[in-house]
Amino acid sequence: MAHRGISTILAGRAREVAFMEAALEELPTALLLGGEAGVGKSRLIREFLQRRRGEQDIRVLVGGCLQISAEGLPFAPFSAVLRQLVRQIGVEGVTALLPDGTPRGLARLLPEFGVPDTASGTTEARTRLFDHVLLLFERLAVEMPVVLVIEDAQWAERSTRDLLSYLISNLPPGMLMIVTYRSDELHRSHPLRPSLAELSRVPWVRRLELDPLSRRAVAEQARSILGHDLDPRLLGKVYERSEGNPLFVEALLSDGRIDGELPESVRDLMLGSVQKLPEETQEILRLASAGGDRVEHALLAAVSGLDDAGLSRVMRPAVAGNVMVVDGEAYAFRHTLVREAVHGDLLPGEHTRAHRRFAETLEADPSRVPPGRAAAELAFHWYAVRDTAEALVSAWKAASVAMEAAAYTESLHMLDRVLELWDKVPDAAERLRADHCSVLVKAIRAADLAGETERGMAFARAALKEIDDPVRSAGVLEQRGRLKIRLGDHTALDDLREAARLVPAEPPSLARARVLSTLAQHLYLMPTGREEARTLGVEALAMAREFGNATVEAHALITLAGCDFLEDAEEHLVALAGVREVYERGADDSAMLRAATNEAHLLEGMGEHERAVEAARRGIALAGRHGQARTSGAFLTMNLAEPLMSLGRWDEVLEVVEHALELSPPRMTRASLHWLLGVIAVARGDLESADDAMSALDAVITPAHSLVQELFPAERLRIDLRLAHGDRSGALDAVEHVLTRLDPSVSSRYGWPLLASCARACAEMPGERAAKMLAEVRTQAGRAPAGGRPEQAHALVFDAEADRAEGRSRKAAWDAAAAVWKTLGEPYPEAYALLRAADAAGRESAGRETGGTRLRRAAELAHGLGARPLLEEIETCARRTRVAIGTRIGDDSLGLTPREREVLRLIADGRSNREIAGALFISAKTASVHVSNILTKLQVAGRGEAAAVARRLGVV
């Protein structure tokens, strides 16, 4: 495996860097930066400093505390800082900054400053030292901002802690002080804990806890290290083992030991804190490590032979030393790699005996673990003992238990285990009462539900090689066809048609109903497949009712509703509501999730953005409850993000999309999520991010095989992106592609926005080529149905853009479009239409009408959205027409964004970060960033103070 060893990028820390940059703009500021060992505190600081050095002159001084004794080395970080400063400006330069030009007060820190005062050990001398250090930094900061970094404060001895507290409490203007510490080493009695609590109350102190990386950020880090994307299955293992710790990610990838033993460097780091514990505690930890990352107190007591009091006594040092944490009625290792390191220290005989004791104890009394966990625990232990027959049977049982509990990833893992052990157990089929192909079919379904699409494809290929029954083959082809749809594979239709061919029409069968329903579901989304979809859907519905299968009936009804009520959204919604009755008769979750997706989609198409948001959120919650957050939940995120984007709640869009991407959804869903990011990036002028989004779309979308709802928005983004780059000729090339390869008139929902962008491209580059294209675009528009209110608004924009392309921009046309967008509550297109209306008004009146009211409204909307390119156009038009736009209106007097106000309300309600994340459908990490930003803006130290300020000022 070729690799670079370390990541060349700082993955997943953009918000943290922005937080630090904001701190540098509000000097003086002290930043207390915490996080576990290896989480990337030093790397974050380096990245931050590299960026700032390129933008402004700053003086950077770095010192670190040293762990060379129980209490460390006195003033070690400040000695290192002074040594750096001497190298930068010399002893004379430092001396010139000190009182009376004498450096003896600092001689305790650095020999270059001479002999220390004879009374250096007195309180007076210590006070003089602290004052000299403070004065030195105060005078340094007069010339340019000073960034002082003190690392590893968890090893600071008393004198260093006192000097840190003194400096932070009296921090001079022009200074940013960053103090890092390992939060995982701050046990309950650690002397740094009270210092941090006290300093947090200082007004200019900010705290930032560095969380582990998200799965998406780990994927970015791995790509940078390896030079290519890591296989999703291996990525999952790296993420699971590293728990998002960047140092551990690099170690696992660099040593090539994703599945193997821990690299020595990581192992030594993990065992360091364990080896400080009493021997009897270490012995119990070795036994507990066989129980997994989390082991119940009652189970560990039974396995160890200790009574409750004895086990508590032995475990107490491990909890106090932050090696183990108490989790309800169980103990959990602080980090999964700690458990791995301890478990790896077991001798072969110890390993087998420990796992056998766990297995036999659980066989005797499964109630020693929480309900539903015994099967998985037994599978784990029998496999570790290498009892293949017991491991096979227990894994098969565990797979079924996990599937019933909607734990699809765990079910897939257990089925993997069954397939691995199959050939090692001669009578496997008899023991499981199932053949090998049945296991593969179950694995296909589990992989599909778990979002492991590529693995499902591999299982399907293996199953098709074994099956000689046409009907059974059809079932696997139908499953593979659905997997291919998720992947954006254009051969999905081939699999579904072959499946339909293999199942005879007579006699009617449930197998044929299922295949036809899936084929119809795919066809009705295709531009020319709706009539065939209706025919197949009717046949599937009749057979589903004949055989009493509610799931196939529900899916057929959803498909027929789409075919029959294409242009009647209200009737379509009524038809979808009828699916609930079928669902309550026993249809599986896939039907209700699909109905929720279609409901949100329809409401957005009607311009009912708020209702669409609520429908999508209900669907996402349903997906989460049924273990499908990564698949159906991620897909529904698109249905949530679209109306949020329409409403101008772009920051919320970025949050929900980021959260969905962290789940590593299937490729086609991932590409559509990137489309949302691309649209906002273009509107905000972040063209690099928009280019990345376009590349992600191009990797999976093809004109010949993609669905209209995937293809048309992507081509619209391509046109808008090229215009944003100033590539007007390239934009016309994209229009030509639309005209020759696509037919926008087949869909009013997606066709009108695309046609409007085509007309805009023609308007931006008038000429003979654009004129010819515009004529064809008008022809296409003439065939497009009017659609609902959003489509009618896009049609108004199209007409106005087409007129502009012909040199006759009309104020009335743009005013009409702006009025409709305002009614729909869509601020971005309203602002754009107002800009064009103001420009047209000036031209029509030869400068007598300035359009000031329009421009001021447009500027306010654009500013609120962060739509910088549009705002710059508005400001240019205002200058040209001599209109004073006026002061831009912020969100509120506290500088909070609308999203931050929502978070603040939940803080005031006493919600935790996790509860805030659940309420707003964002990740806990994103909620944490919002809370940190709010505390900074309100200039308060904690959540209680933030809630009090908010109530006092009437924000909540």
Side-chain angles (χ1 to χ4, degrees), residues 44 46 105 127 130 132 181 214 264 268 307 411 443 453 565 677 755 809 870 947:
L44 173 65
R46 287 200 303 272
T127 302
F130 283 20
H132 277 52
Y181 58 92
S214 66
E264 285 297 320
D268 292 344
D307 59 21
S411 180
T453 316
F565 305 114
L677 296 178
L755 289 167
S809 185
L870 179 58

PDB file of all heavy atoms in Angstrom, residues 44 46 105 127 130 132 181 214 264 268 307 411 443 453 565 677 755 809 870 947:
ATOM      1  N   LEU A  44      -3.652  21.502  14.561  1.00  0.00           N
ATOM      2  CA  LEU A  44      -4.611  22.589  14.376  1.00  0.00           C
ATOM      3  C   LEU A  44      -3.934  23.939  14.570  1.00  0.00           C
ATOM      4  O   LEU A  44      -4.140  24.873  13.777  1.00  0.00           O
ATOM      5  CB  LEU A  44      -5.767  22.428  15.366  1.00  0.00           C
ATOM      6  CG  LEU A  44      -6.788  23.569  15.422  1.00  0.00           C
ATOM      7  CD1 LEU A  44      -7.536  23.685  14.104  1.00  0.00           C
ATOM      8  CD2 LEU A  44      -7.766  23.343  16.583  1.00  0.00           C
ATOM      9  N   ARG A  46      -0.738  24.650  14.246  1.00  0.00           N
ATOM     10  CA  ARG A  46       0.191  24.898  13.131  1.00  0.00           C
ATOM     11  C   ARG A  46      -0.544  25.390  11.896  1.00  0.00           C
ATOM     12  O   ARG A  46      -0.109  26.331  11.229  1.00  0.00           O
ATOM     13  CB  ARG A  46       0.966  23.620  12.800  1.00  0.00           C
ATOM     14  CG  ARG A  46       2.024  23.247  13.807  1.00  0.00           C
ATOM     15  CD  ARG A  46       3.051  22.302  13.197  1.00  0.00           C
ATOM     16  NE  ARG A  46       2.446  21.101  12.655  1.00  0.00           N
ATOM     17  CZ  ARG A  46       2.213  20.000  13.369  1.00  0.00           C
ATOM     18  NH1 ARG A  46       2.516  19.953  14.662  1.00  0.00           N
ATOM     19  NH2 ARG A  46       1.671  18.935  12.797  1.00  0.00           N
ATOM     20  N   GLY A 105      15.700  39.836  36.523  1.00  0.00           N
ATOM     21  CA  GLY A 105      14.423  39.298  36.994  1.00  0.00           C
ATOM     22  C   GLY A 105      13.982  38.055  36.247  1.00  0.00           C
ATOM     23  O   GLY A 105      13.156  37.283  36.731  1.00  0.00           O
ATOM     24  N   THR A 127       6.961  37.271  42.647  1.00  0.00           N
ATOM     25  CA  THR A 127       6.057  38.300  42.138  1.00  0.00           C
ATOM     26  C   THR A 127       6.751  39.153  41.088  1.00  0.00           C
ATOM     27  O   THR A 127       6.154  39.494  40.051  1.00  0.00           O
ATOM     28  CB  THR A 127       5.568  39.189  43.290  1.00  0.00           C
ATOM     29  OG1 THR A 127       4.910  38.379  44.261  1.00  0.00           O
ATOM     30  CG2 THR A 127       4.623  40.265  42.789  1.00  0.00           C
ATOM     31  N   PHE A 130       6.917  37.256  37.813  1.00  0.00           N
ATOM     32  CA  PHE A 130       5.635  37.251  37.104  1.00  0.00           C
ATOM     33  C   PHE A 130       5.389  38.606  36.437  1.00  0.00           C
ATOM     34  O   PHE A 130       4.938  38.679  35.283  1.00  0.00           O
ATOM     35  CB  PHE A 130       4.499  36.930  38.081  1.00  0.00           C
ATOM     36  CG  PHE A 130       4.397  35.473  38.454  1.00  0.00           C
ATOM     37  CD1 PHE A 130       5.484  34.605  38.280  1.00  0.00           C
ATOM     38  CD2 PHE A 130       3.237  34.948  38.991  1.00  0.00           C
ATOM     39  CE1 PHE A 130       5.390  33.266  38.623  1.00  0.00           C
ATOM     40  CE2 PHE A 130       3.130  33.608  39.333  1.00  0.00           C
ATOM     41  CZ  PHE A 130       4.214  32.772  39.161  1.00  0.00           C
ATOM     42  N   HIS A 132       7.648  40.807  35.479  1.00  0.00           N
ATOM     43  CA  HIS A 132       8.569  40.986  34.358  1.00  0.00           C
ATOM     44  C   HIS A 132       8.086  40.235  33.118  1.00  0.00           C
ATOM     45  O   HIS A 132       8.157  40.755  32.002  1.00  0.00           O
ATOM     46  CB  HIS A 132       9.976  40.496  34.755  1.00  0.00           C
ATOM     47  CG  HIS A 132      10.774  41.510  35.513  1.00  0.00           C
ATOM     48  ND1 HIS A 132      10.301  42.149  36.633  1.00  0.00           N
ATOM     49  CD2 HIS A 132      12.021  42.008  35.291  1.00  0.00           C
ATOM     50  CE1 HIS A 132      11.205  42.993  37.097  1.00  0.00           C
ATOM     51  NE2 HIS A 132      12.278  42.920  36.292  1.00  0.00           N
ATOM     52  N   TYR A 181      -4.128  21.145  26.433  1.00  0.00           N
ATOM     53  CA  TYR A 181      -4.037  20.115  27.475  1.00  0.00           C
ATOM     54  C   TYR A 181      -4.732  18.851  26.977  1.00  0.00           C
ATOM     55  O   TYR A 181      -5.621  18.902  26.132  1.00  0.00           O
ATOM     56  CB  TYR A 181      -4.674  20.587  28.784  1.00  0.00           C
ATOM     57  CG  TYR A 181      -6.126  20.974  28.654  1.00  0.00           C
ATOM     58  CD1 TYR A 181      -7.143  20.046  28.872  1.00  0.00           C
ATOM     59  CD2 TYR A 181      -6.491  22.270  28.287  1.00  0.00           C
ATOM     60  CE1 TYR A 181      -8.471  20.400  28.738  1.00  0.00           C
ATOM     61  CE2 TYR A 181      -7.821  22.625  28.153  1.00  0.00           C
ATOM     62  CZ  TYR A 181      -8.803  21.692  28.384  1.00  0.00           C
ATOM     63  OH  TYR A 181     -10.121  22.028  28.237  1.00  0.00           O
ATOM     64  N   SER A 214     -15.057  13.250  12.350  1.00  0.00           N
ATOM     65  CA  SER A 214     -16.212  12.517  11.825  1.00  0.00           C
ATOM     66  C   SER A 214     -15.730  11.461  10.839  1.00  0.00           C
ATOM     67  O   SER A 214     -14.575  11.466  10.396  1.00  0.00           O
ATOM     68  CB  SER A 214     -17.152  13.486  11.111  1.00  0.00           C
ATOM     69  OG  SER A 214     -16.510  14.006   9.953  1.00  0.00           O
ATOM     70  N   GLU A 264       3.327  -0.466  17.330  1.00  0.00           N
ATOM     71  CA  GLU A 264       3.966  -0.338  18.634  1.00  0.00           C
ATOM     72  C   GLU A 264       3.777   1.057  19.233  1.00  0.00           C
ATOM     73  O   GLU A 264       3.584   1.213  20.436  1.00  0.00           O
ATOM     74  CB  GLU A 264       5.459  -0.665  18.517  1.00  0.00           C
ATOM     75  CG  GLU A 264       5.756  -2.157  18.367  1.00  0.00           C
ATOM     76  CD  GLU A 264       5.305  -2.956  19.585  1.00  0.00           C
ATOM     77  OE1 GLU A 264       5.490  -2.466  20.716  1.00  0.00           O
ATOM     78  OE2 GLU A 264       4.744  -4.060  19.401  1.00  0.00           O
ATOM     79  N   ASP A 268       2.082   1.440  22.862  1.00  0.00           N
ATOM     80  CA  ASP A 268       2.788   1.997  24.014  1.00  0.00           C
ATOM     81  C   ASP A 268       2.037   3.190  24.605  1.00  0.00           C
ATOM     82  O   ASP A 268       1.966   3.351  25.830  1.00  0.00           O
ATOM     83  CB  ASP A 268       4.206   2.424  23.606  1.00  0.00           C
ATOM     84  CG  ASP A 268       5.087   1.228  23.266  1.00  0.00           C
ATOM     85  OD1 ASP A 268       4.716   0.101  23.635  1.00  0.00           O
ATOM     86  OD2 ASP A 268       6.130   1.427  22.619  1.00  0.00           O
ATOM     87  N   ASP A 307     -16.886 -10.710  44.381  1.00  0.00           N
ATOM     88  CA  ASP A 307     -18.212 -10.195  44.729  1.00  0.00           C
ATOM     89  C   ASP A 307     -18.293  -8.723  44.335  1.00  0.00           C
ATOM     90  O   ASP A 307     -17.304  -8.123  43.890  1.00  0.00           O
ATOM     91  CB  ASP A 307     -18.514 -10.387  46.219  1.00  0.00           C
ATOM     92  CG  ASP A 307     -17.501  -9.684  47.128  1.00  0.00           C
ATOM     93  OD1 ASP A 307     -16.816  -8.739  46.661  1.00  0.00           O
ATOM     94  OD2 ASP A 307     -17.408 -10.079  48.303  1.00  0.00           O
ATOM     95  N   SER A 411     -26.076  -7.104  11.952  1.00  0.00           N
ATOM     96  CA  SER A 411     -26.584  -8.307  11.292  1.00  0.00           C
ATOM     97  C   SER A 411     -25.683  -8.688  10.119  1.00  0.00           C
ATOM     98  O   SER A 411     -25.342  -9.868   9.937  1.00  0.00           O
ATOM     99  CB  SER A 411     -28.019  -8.072  10.805  1.00  0.00           C
ATOM    100  OG  SER A 411     -28.517  -9.225  10.156  1.00  0.00           O
ATOM    101  N   ALA A 443     -27.659 -11.859   3.413  1.00  0.00           N
ATOM    102  CA  ALA A 443     -26.569 -10.879   3.460  1.00  0.00           C
ATOM    103  C   ALA A 443     -26.805  -9.739   2.480  1.00  0.00           C
ATOM    104  O   ALA A 443     -26.457  -8.586   2.765  1.00  0.00           O
ATOM    105  CB  ALA A 443     -25.233 -11.571   3.167  1.00  0.00           C
ATOM    106  N   THR A 453     -23.708  -0.867  -0.011  1.00  0.00           N
ATOM    107  CA  THR A 453     -24.209  -1.229  -1.329  1.00  0.00           C
ATOM    108  C   THR A 453     -23.234  -2.085  -2.121  1.00  0.00           C
ATOM    109  O   THR A 453     -23.625  -3.078  -2.748  1.00  0.00           O
ATOM    110  CB  THR A 453     -24.540   0.051  -2.117  1.00  0.00           C
ATOM    111  OG1 THR A 453     -25.229   0.965  -1.259  1.00  0.00           O
ATOM    112  CG2 THR A 453     -25.434  -0.251  -3.287  1.00  0.00           C
ATOM    113  N   PHE A 565     -51.225  10.903 -10.915  1.00  0.00           N
ATOM    114  CA  PHE A 565     -51.438  12.278 -10.445  1.00  0.00           C
ATOM    115  C   PHE A 565     -50.184  13.122 -10.645  1.00  0.00           C
ATOM    116  O   PHE A 565     -49.804  13.913  -9.774  1.00  0.00           O
ATOM    117  CB  PHE A 565     -51.855  12.280  -8.966  1.00  0.00           C
ATOM    118  CG  PHE A 565     -53.060  11.430  -8.692  1.00  0.00           C
ATOM    119  CD1 PHE A 565     -52.961  10.298  -7.912  1.00  0.00           C
ATOM    120  CD2 PHE A 565     -54.297  11.761  -9.238  1.00  0.00           C
ATOM    121  CE1 PHE A 565     -54.078   9.506  -7.664  1.00  0.00           C
ATOM    122  CE2 PHE A 565     -55.416  10.975  -8.993  1.00  0.00           C
ATOM    123  CZ  PHE A 565     -55.313   9.840  -8.203  1.00  0.00           C
ATOM    124  N   LEU A 677     -24.642  21.270  -1.899  1.00  0.00           N
ATOM    125  CA  LEU A 677     -23.479  22.051  -1.483  1.00  0.00           C
ATOM    126  C   LEU A 677     -22.994  22.939  -2.623  1.00  0.00           C
ATOM    127  O   LEU A 677     -22.583  24.085  -2.411  1.00  0.00           O
ATOM    128  CB  LEU A 677     -22.352  21.118  -1.034  1.00  0.00           C
ATOM    129  CG  LEU A 677     -22.621  20.253   0.201  1.00  0.00           C
ATOM    130  CD1 LEU A 677     -21.417  19.353   0.491  1.00  0.00           C
ATOM    131  CD2 LEU A 677     -22.938  21.108   1.414  1.00  0.00           C
ATOM    132  N   LEU A 755     -34.262  25.630 -17.953  1.00  0.00           N
ATOM    133  CA  LEU A 755     -34.498  26.533 -19.082  1.00  0.00           C
ATOM    134  C   LEU A 755     -34.165  27.985 -18.704  1.00  0.00           C
ATOM    135  O   LEU A 755     -33.597  28.732 -19.519  1.00  0.00           O
ATOM    136  CB  LEU A 755     -35.959  26.431 -19.535  1.00  0.00           C
ATOM    137  CG  LEU A 755     -36.357  25.133 -20.251  1.00  0.00           C
ATOM    138  CD1 LEU A 755     -37.866  25.008 -20.353  1.00  0.00           C
ATOM    139  CD2 LEU A 755     -35.727  25.088 -21.650  1.00  0.00           C
ATOM    140  N   SER A 809     -34.712  44.004 -21.806  1.00  0.00           N
ATOM    141  CA  SER A 809     -35.080  43.669 -20.427  1.00  0.00           C
ATOM    142  C   SER A 809     -36.219  44.572 -19.959  1.00  0.00           C
ATOM    143  O   SER A 809     -36.158  45.793 -20.102  1.00  0.00           O
ATOM    144  CB  SER A 809     -33.862  43.846 -19.509  1.00  0.00           C
ATOM    145  OG  SER A 809     -34.168  43.417 -18.208  1.00  0.00           O
ATOM    146  N   LEU A 870     -23.910  38.045  -5.597  1.00  0.00           N
ATOM    147  CA  LEU A 870     -25.134  38.787  -5.904  1.00  0.00           C
ATOM    148  C   LEU A 870     -25.111  40.139  -5.216  1.00  0.00           C
ATOM    149  O   LEU A 870     -25.490  41.156  -5.821  1.00  0.00           O
ATOM    150  CB  LEU A 870     -26.351  37.974  -5.463  1.00  0.00           C
ATOM    151  CG  LEU A 870     -27.720  38.631  -5.684  1.00  0.00           C
ATOM    152  CD1 LEU A 870     -27.937  38.979  -7.150  1.00  0.00           C
ATOM    153  CD2 LEU A 870     -28.835  37.729  -5.165  1.00  0.00           C
ATOM    154  N   ALA A 947     -27.967  31.605  28.704  1.00  0.00           N
ATOM    155  CA  ALA A 947     -29.427  31.584  28.804  1.00  0.00           C
ATOM    156  C   ALA A 947     -29.934  32.820  29.553  1.00  0.00           C
ATOM    157  O   ALA A 947     -30.947  33.424  29.175  1.00  0.00           O
ATOM    158  CB  ALA A 947     -29.875  30.311  29.517  1.00  0.00           C
TER     159      ALA A 947
END
